Amino acid sequence: MIPAAGLATRFLPASKAVPKELFPVVDKPALQYIVEEAASAGISDVLLITGRGKSSMVDHFDRRLDLEAQLEAKGDHDRLEAVRRPAELASIHSSRQPEMLGLGHAVLCAEDHVGDSPFAVLLGDDLIDERDPALPRMLDLQAASGGIVVLLLEVPWDEVHKYGVASVEETQDPDVVRVTGLVEKPPREEAPSNLIVVGRYVLPAAIFDAIRKTPPGSGGEIQLTDAMALMINEGVPVRGVVFRGRRYDTGQPEGYLKTLVQLACSHPDIGPVIREWLVEYVEQELKG
Ligand code: UTP
């Protein structure tokens, strides 16, 4: 499931009428990267949690037969393939979050669709580079031994207050830790580590009961982190896969702009031109 019902206040006014999940990242919307990541990990059923004014997100994954006919008539096969691709990735469903009560509450909106099976939650704010996939490892770990699997990333200590932070114990596998506690947006001096929870989770269906038992937390919202912390206290095993690959934070303007530059530079078609231009531009800026 992809929770995408939030108000995206950090992007206002750009996000007033266009959901931030549809902002372009080089040549496709951020959300398409997320659905592609899920599809590459073998997930064929995707539930988008949407809110008011966000149905255009679902439209992106529909066929556009009129457009396809025009491109076909022109013989523009590359664009035709690009336009068809979103609809071919997975079966896309959507559900509404009636009130923006927090990420935990958004996850609860998936209960009817998910049923009793474990499921993955992918947040649109975190793009994981397709060259460094993490989800298959997380799914395998959850399938092998149940419980919750989260993705963790080491960040500088002065950034921990912005994220959910994990207390961890090492395991025999250097890329996997046992998570013994989770805290949402702690002040630096109270943070148990500098390992933050990135927006990928593999959760058992028992999370729904835990969310129901979770009172509003940080920011007055029902936090997924708090529901997971409750399950840790109930003895549910929680493992963290430590991510050492490329991750892009597109949830706020500065990170979004950096992501555009990074992914434009590695794009097979426009990358060489952009890199050359960027070097010239930076040289000019430095000269003042
Ligand atoms: P954020 O806390 O980043 O909120 O939510 P936001 O709305 O995206 O952005 P800001 O903070 O207002 O700028 C993390 C993810 O959880 C979803 C968001 O859409 C985002 O993908 N979310 C959050 C919901 O689906 N529903 C909620 O009630 C809250």
Side-chain angles (χ1 to χ4, degrees), residues 2-11 20-21 49-50 54 97 99-107 122-125 185 221 251-252:
I2 304 178
L7 298 174
T9 46
R10 286 168 291 175
F11 274 108
K20 69 171 172 184
E21 292 80 5
I49 302 295
T50 67
K54 292 200 149 196
Q97 185 185 16
E99 278 182 285
M100 303 309 108
L101 298 179
L103 176 58
H105 181 258
V107 171
L122 292 85
L123 298 196
D125 287 358
K185 301 188 176 67
E221 296 192 332
Q252 32 76 27

Side-chain angles (χ1 to χ4, degrees), residues 75-97:
D76 191 344
H77 298 294
D78 289 350
R79 288 205 178 86
L80 180 62
E81 202 186 311
V83 163
R84 275 190 184 148
R85 183 169 159 76
E88 289 165 352
L89 291 170
S91 159
I92 307 284
H93 306 266
S94 73
S95 186
R96 287 254 179 168
Q97 185 185 16

